[in-house]
Amino acid sequence: MSKADERGHTFSDKPKPIPDTGWRGQPPVPSSAGGESEPDYMHKPPYYWTSEGDLFQPQYKSRCWCGNVEFEVHGDPLDAKYCHCTQCQSLHGAPFQWAVIFPKTSVRLVNNIDESLHFFSTETGTSAHHVPCKISCNTCRAPLFDEGRNTVLAYPSSFHFPPRQPVPHNFQPSCHIFYSARIMDVVDGKCVHAHVPLLFRVPGSAYIHVAFTCRPKWAGHKGHSELVDESTIISTTSDI
């Protein structure tokens, strides 16, 4: 069902269904217990694994900067978000992280040239497959995704979409989380109207109008924390 906050933002607390991609091994969600307890994890989702009946149908490709590590992804993400937690700020060297969420069984490793796949555990501070953990390339150091206990949080900047095509709608973040830890304001949530017209320029083309969707800002996790007011107000204009 959908809920609304006091400012009229709506969000759904009903999870999207998990697609059947043909994983018939055990456990149903590998490494769901966390830690380093999963045996032979490299031959289970989201790494090398076989889909029964070819139910896994790749829709997207995600790869590191040098191309040594590449994953393929089935279907659209369950959700997308901006995370402002201090861990994401530090590990990404950026004000916040943009992530799209997929079931583990919707992700599969297809290339690991020179054994470049690298794990880093934020819980142990070691280069180990200790879930939850960070996945990156050991050659070019590009980050690819976070492996959680039940899902993969992938980074859209590592996806390769058709040239000059916009990022798919399902990759657009539905909200900000851990906004109380932000180091910069992002003014996209407290709007008079549901959509704010902005001008956007794609390299090599003219300016085009786009509709900018307002996004709620949660102090912590989505739907399980307080909503945060924006502290900055800007005005938009078409006179550029």
Side-chain angles (χ1 to χ4, degrees):
M1 63 178 292
S2 294
K3 296 181 179 179
D5 64 30
E6 66 276 9
R7 294 191 295 277
H9 291 126
T10 60
F11 62 95
S12 175
D13 60 353
K14 181 179 180 181
K16 293 182 180 179
I18 306 299
D20 181 3
T21 55
W23 167 246
R24 298 294 182 261
Q26 291 296 325
V29 182
S31 298
S32 57
E36 301 179 40
S37 60
E38 189 65 55
D40 198 27
Y41 63 87
M42 282 299 295
H43 294 95
K44 300 176 182 179
Y47 306 106
Y48 293 119
W49 62 280
T50 301
S51 169
E52 184 175 297
D54 291 327
L55 293 175
F56 188 104
Q57 296 295 316
Q59 184 169 343
Y60 303 108
K61 294 279 190 180
S62 168
R63 59 178 175 267
C64 65
W65 184 86
C66 70
N68 277 9
V69 181
E70 182 175 9
F71 290 84
E72 56 186 10
V73 181
H74 172 105
D76 288 313
L78 302 174
D79 198 3
K81 50 81 177 175
Y82 291 135
C83 181
H84 296 258
C85 77
T86 55
Q87 179 172 280
C88 285
Q89 293 172 22
S90 179
L91 288 168
H92 289 265
F96 51 87
Q97 173 211 70
W98 175 20
V100 285
I101 303 170
F102 290 94
K104 285 190 182 181
T105 51
S106 290
V107 180
R108 184 164 62 187
L109 178 66
V110 291
N111 271 324
N112 184 19
I113 299 171
D114 297 331
E115 299 296 319
S116 294
L117 185 70
H118 180 76
F119 302 102
F120 177 73
S121 167
T122 55
E123 290 189 352
T124 66
T126 60
S127 297
H129 182 257
H130 183 104
V131 177
C133 61
K134 299 277 184 177
I135 311 303
S136 63
C137 173
N138 203 34
T139 301
C140 66
R141 305 294 181 176
L144 288 160
F145 63 75
D146 297 355
E147 181 188 353
R149 290 176 174 82
N150 297 299
T151 59
V152 161
L153 281 71
Y155 312 138
S157 54
S158 71
F159 282 67
H160 288 253
F161 303 114
R164 304 182 68 82
Q165 294 295 313
V167 174
H169 175 74
N170 286 327
F171 280 67
Q172 298 298 330
S174 65
C175 66
H176 297 260
I177 62 173
F178 293 97
Y179 195 69
S180 58
R182 69 193 182 280
I183 58 172
M184 64 172 287
D185 288 305
V186 182
V187 187
D188 66 354
K190 191 175 183 181
C191 308
V192 176
H193 303 291
H195 297 277
V196 178
L198 298 176
L199 287 179
F200 176 73
R201 187 174 187 272
V202 177
S205 69
Y207 283 97
I208 58 173
H209 284 275
V210 296
F212 195 74
T213 303
C214 299
R215 298 183 178 95
K217 296 173 169 65
W218 299 95
H221 283 293
K222 177 181 179 180
H224 299 281
S225 60
E226 295 181 351
L227 283 160
V228 179
D229 281 318
E230 288 179 346
S231 58
T232 305
I233 300 175
I234 62 170
S235 60
T236 60
T237 177
S238 59
D239 185 18
I240 297 180

